[in-house]
Amino acid sequence: MANVCFLLADGYEDSEMKNPYEAMNEAGHNTVIVGLEKGVELKGKKGTVSYVSDISINEVSVSEYNAVIIPGGSAPEALRVNDEVIDFVKQANEKGKVIAGICHGPQVMISAGILKGKNSTSFIGIRDDVKNAGATFSDEEVVVDGNIITSRTPKDEPAFIREILNKL
C-alpha cells in the first residue's frame, strides 16, 4: 500500500482527478489531496466533482508519499506559480518518487525543471512548453520515463492509471 498525493487547485479537469483518485483508493492506496490551503473546497472545471483539500502544501512532507499525481485543466497554472508546490515536486523527483501528470499537469513539472532530458507527452496546447523545457515530446497516450509518467487527455486516463499502478 502506497501513500499517494494529488496536487489540486480549482479548475482541474473533472475526470482527470476523479478517475485516478478512485482507482488509487480501489487499489488500496492511501490518497491525500494537497491544496494551496487546507480544508478548501476545490471544484472541477465542469462542475461534476469537488474535493476538499486534506492538507496544505506548506504542511506536507515529501518523505510521506510514494507518488504525486497532477491532474490537468487550469489547476496546474495556479499550482505552478506557488514556490512550495515547485519545491515539493523538485524534492519528490530528487527522491525518485513517482510523479504523474496528465493534460496540463506537466506544466508543474516544467516549472520544477524536472522534464529536461526526459521523454514526455501532454495536452497538445503545451507541447511547445514541454519541448522548451528540454523534454522529447511524443504524441502517445502515456509516456513513462523513469519516475515520471505523463499523458495527454481524458481519453488516455486508462493508460495513465495503469502505469501509475504499475509503478506503485
Side-chain angles (χ1 to χ4, degrees), residues 46-80:
K46 294 187 174 143
T48 64
V49 291
S50 70
Y51 296 88
V52 174
S53 54
D54 297 308
I55 191 169
S56 78
I57 189 65
N58 58 9
E59 299 173 302
V60 74
S61 171
V62 168
S63 62
E64 297 174 23
Y65 300 98
N66 305 94
V68 178
I69 299 176
I70 311 165
S74 59
E77 193 66 41
L79 294 168
R80 75 187 301 191

Side-chain angles (χ1 to χ4, degrees), residues 6 10 14 18 34-35 41 65 69 71 78-79 86 108 111 113 125 150 166-167:
F6 285 80
D10 263 337
D14 300 41
K18 179 181 185 285
V34 178
E41 183 181 14
Y65 300 98
I69 299 176
L79 294 168
I86 297 310
V108 178
S111 293
T150 50
N166 284 346
K167 284 280 185 189

Side-chain angles (χ1 to χ4, degrees), residues 113-150:
I114 66 169
L115 288 184
K116 187 174 175 86
K118 296 285 189 178
N119 295 307
S120 180
T121 193
S122 67
F123 176 69
I124 195 76
I126 64 165
R127 172 187 59 197
D128 291 344
D129 303 317
V130 167
K131 290 178 180 178
N132 290 337
T136 300
F137 180 86
S138 299
D139 188 13
E140 297 175 48
E141 66 178 2
V142 65
V143 175
V144 179
D145 189 337
N147 61 314
I148 295 178
I149 301 168
T150 50

